[in-house]
Amino acid sequence: MPPTNKKPPPVILTELTAAAERRAPILGEFREFIARGNVIDLAVGVILGAAFGDIVKSLVDQVVMPVIGLLTSGLDFSQLKWVLRPDNPATKVNEEVAIQYGAFINTLIQFLIVAVVVFFLVKAINSLRRKQAAEPAEPPAPTTSEKLLGEIRDLLAAGRH
């Protein structure tokens, strides 16, 4: 009998899923965990954070460091290093062993830029939260029984005069 490309009915899929979860309850827990909104939010945050990291790297390498290099008489920070063992020019393989502290300085500047941006972002969010907390909340609308009691009060008051 040739194989068919038909999808099994949803009832069968539900039964198969339930059977798999009975055998391995961790699968059900994992499905619940992934389906939560917080995990999706976290994934989006990580992706945006990676993209922001690339932007900051570009800012430091192509904007900030050339200006600092110009102010320090053309010093290229990315090339600063302490050579522990120099390269042997007789070989084709690079045998130099060096501590590249200039690259570390570039990374440190990138971190400081990210830290400042995150600080101002958190500060702005906290400011908005404080404003929202300071705004008085509207009183809730009267319930049906409160409306009826108000009407009775008004009728009684009108009957006295």
Side-chain angles (χ1 to χ4, degrees), residues 74-131:
L75 184 63
D76 183 6
F77 275 78
S78 65
Q79 299 301 318
L80 294 177
K81 58 187 172 184
W82 287 313
V83 178
L84 303 175
R85 184 175 73 193
D87 186 26
N88 184 354
T91 63
K92 291 183 180 180
V93 178
N94 184 6
E95 297 174 346
E96 180 181 80
V97 176
I99 297 172
Q100 298 179 343
Y101 66 92
F104 176 73
I105 291 171
N106 281 356
T107 304
L108 189 62
I109 291 172
Q110 289 173 7
F111 169 77
L112 291 174
I113 289 172
V114 170
V116 167
V117 168
V118 168
F119 169 76
F120 283 117
L121 183 65
V122 169
K123 185 175 175 153
I125 290 171
N126 287 341
S127 174
L128 287 175
R129 285 184 180 166
R130 275 188 235 113
K131 284 181 184 177

Side-chain angles (χ1 to χ4, degrees), residues 36 46 66 79 89 108 132:
R36 280 191 191 159
V46 168
Q79 299 301 318
L108 189 62
Q132 287 176 347

Side-chain angles (χ1 to χ4, degrees), residues 13 15 19 22 34 36 38 40 42 50 56 58 63 65 74 87 99 101 112 114 123 126 139 145:
L13 287 177
E15 290 173 8
R22 280 192 302 273
I34 291 298
R36 280 191 191 159
N38 294 345
I40 304 301
L42 179 63
V56 170
S58 175
V63 176
M65 294 314 289
D87 186 26
I99 297 172
Y101 66 92
L112 291 174
V114 170
K123 185 175 175 153
N126 287 341
S145 58

